[in-house]
Amino acid sequence: MIVVMVRGASREQIEDVEKRIQDWGYGVHPIYGEERTVIGAVGVPEADKARYMESLEALPYVEQVLAILRPYKFASRELHPEGTVVDVKGVMVGGSQIALMAGPCTVETYEQTLESAQACRAAGATILRGGAFKPSTSPYSFQGHGEAALKILREIADKLEMRVITEVMDPRNVEMVCQYADILQIGTRNMQNYDLLREAGRVQTPVMIKRGMWAKIEEWLQAAEYVLLGGNPNVMLCERGIRTFETYTRNTLDLSAVPAVKELSHLPVVIDPSQGTGKRSLVEAMCKAAVAVGADGLLIEVHPHPEQALKDGPQSLTTADFGGLVERLRPVAAAVGRQL
Ligand code: PEP
Ligand code: MN
């Protein structure tokens, strides 16, 4: 970290700051300027940084304390410059193959989930999505079928040789959901549920952290840091749109987050154009754009009868739409050196 002394700080004040840093056991690298002195403190461990920064900032002769390193270590690109590939029981997320995750927003019935899954599988999806625990703004709207839905997902995925991604909302359910799911989805509303993140760090099941609809990229990466620090290295991120003043689309899908996260982090990034736009008519264009900017996967809602869907019908593709979309995406993937 770097300590910027106030303009005209005295010799004694500068020495006081240097002594404090040395007493904590860290190295001191001062640059004495004509008007202003700057002191570099090296070797301060991440866990102590915030406390020491605040303590120095409280001194009247310190103007500012700056952290040099980013507030996440395990999520940072420097740790794995080559990038991370998450192995979901043989389906890779982060390699040259773009992972297709598709299925209904919500598991409603066995038949509806099967019909969606069969079409998604036939078109090339390898990961079946479907909500069993649904985060709902209204306590009166459908909350999901819970464990019964997880059983349906598992049975259908096994039958079709697919993997399962599904949301877990409650830290107490992490172990139970792991018995059925191959990827734990942490939803946008839970991105800063630290108990849930810590619990997801205790297992080895891959975790996909959706970006909080209000979250800065740095906060999102810090959420990933919780899971990584807990000992689960199998983390991927998912951009699903953020809240802005725009209301024509359900959210504003921030595609710049893909190359931005890739500069900052080694973690794979998935795009969810369904929650991202809220409109079926926009999903294909955003999928193409996502592939072009380097997304490692797509999470797409597909329903056999969107007009009958209990949730998110307007943004769900029909099973026929999905097949056509995948075919039209292939040349885009090839153009950027990837496959679907
Ligand atoms: C979903 O994937 O259906 C979902 C609820 O996602 P989000 O957490 O991004 O709203
Ligand atoms: Mn949905």
Side-chain angles (χ1 to χ4, degrees):
M1 62 195 189
I2 296 187
V3 184
V4 183
M5 302 297 291
V6 294
R7 198 180 285 271
S10 70
R11 187 77 245 145
E12 293 71 39
Q13 291 169 334
I14 294 169
E15 281 172 6
D16 174 58
V17 169
E18 291 175 344
K19 184 161 183 316
R20 284 168 194 264
I21 296 169
Q22 279 160 348
D23 287 349
W24 289 328
Y26 310 119
V28 162
H29 291 267
I31 305 168
Y32 304 113
E34 281 289 316
E35 291 188 4
R36 200 192 286 276
T37 288
V38 166
I39 304 166
V42 295
V44 186
E46 206 54 50
D48 294 337
K49 219 176 257 171
R51 183 159 47 101
Y52 290 144
M53 283 177 74
E54 283 192 3
S55 153
L56 292 173
E57 227 156 21
L59 296 170
Y61 34 91
V62 168
E63 186 173 293
Q64 213 186 353
V65 185
L66 305 162
I68 319 174
L69 291 177
R70 303 203 168 94
Y72 44 86
K73 189 161 85 187
F74 293 107
S76 74
R77 186 93 206 168
E78 290 84 55
L79 201 76
H80 294 293
E82 67 294 351
T84 283
V85 180
V86 175
D87 183 346
V88 187
K89 296 206 180 122
V91 172
M92 303 298 175
V93 185
S96 67
Q97 185 92 16
I98 294 168
L100 279 181
M101 312 179 181
C105 173
T106 305
V107 174
E108 297 164 14
T109 63
Y110 181 88
E111 292 68 30
Q112 162 255 8
T113 307
L114 179 65
E115 207 178 321
S116 173
Q118 278 170 330
C120 293
R121 184 74 180 110
T126 47
I127 302 174
L128 174 62
R129 66 146 292 148
F133 296 98
K134 293 308 294 180
S136 285
T137 305
S138 164
Y140 301 106
S141 64
F142 182 59
Q143 308 285 310
H145 289 308
E147 194 168 356
L150 295 175
K151 290 192 167 126
I152 292 176
L153 282 169
R154 186 74 265 163
E155 189 181 328
I156 293 173
D158 285 346
K159 195 205 249 324
L160 301 175
E161 288 185 53
M162 296 178 85
R163 310 294 175 267
V164 168
I165 179 167
T166 195
E167 177 162 357
V168 56
M169 290 169 60
D170 187 328
R172 293 167 298 184
N173 283 341
V174 167
E175 271 189 34
M176 185 270 285
V177 176
C178 283
Q179 290 168 19
Y180 302 97
D182 302 307
I183 305 175
L184 301 175
Q185 175 172 324
I186 298 204
T188 188
R189 295 160 187 82
N190 271 315
M191 190 206 84
Q192 284 178 322
N193 181 339
Y194 300 116
D195 288 334
L196 180 60
L197 294 170
R198 264 190 290 267
E199 214 47 49
R202 290 203 180 97
V203 297
Q204 293 297 298
T205 304
V207 177
M208 188 178 80
I209 306 175
K210 288 194 147 193
R211 180 182 182 177
M213 58 182 95
W214 61 85
K216 297 196 291 182
I217 288 172
E218 188 173 275
E219 293 164 333
W220 189 21
L221 291 171
Q222 284 177 281
E225 189 79 1
Y226 266 87
V227 179
L228 296 165
L229 185 63
N232 186 346
N234 306 309
V235 177
M236 54 191 104
L237 300 166
C238 176
E239 162 66 40
R240 49 77 71 205
I242 51 175
R243 281 229 166 140
T244 66
F245 52 82
E246 183 56 74
T247 54
Y248 179 70
T249 44
R250 182 176 178 184
N251 291 289
T252 297
L253 187 62
D254 178 12
L255 287 177
S256 71
V258 177
V261 164
K262 290 195 171 279
E263 273 179 7
L264 298 170
S265 176
H266 57 90
L267 300 173
V269 189
V270 172
I271 287 288
D272 175 348
S274 306
Q275 330 301 319
T277 62
K279 284 183 158 65
R280 180 181 312 126
S281 63
L282 303 181
V283 167
E284 176 163 337
M286 296 321 273
C287 286
K288 288 175 175 159
V291 168
V293 296
D296 298 299
L298 295 168
L299 179 73
I300 303 171
E301 289 183 345
V302 179
H303 198 288
H305 308 284
E307 74 289 354
Q308 292 168 19
L310 288 181
K311 254 189 184 324
D312 292 351
Q315 69 195 31
S316 297
L317 299 186
T318 64
T319 48
D321 289 339
F322 184 71
L325 162 68
V326 175
E327 285 318 306
R328 291 186 290 275
L329 273 178
R330 288 190 199 283
V332 183
V336 292
R338 310 283 291 266
Q339 308 93 46
L340 276 176

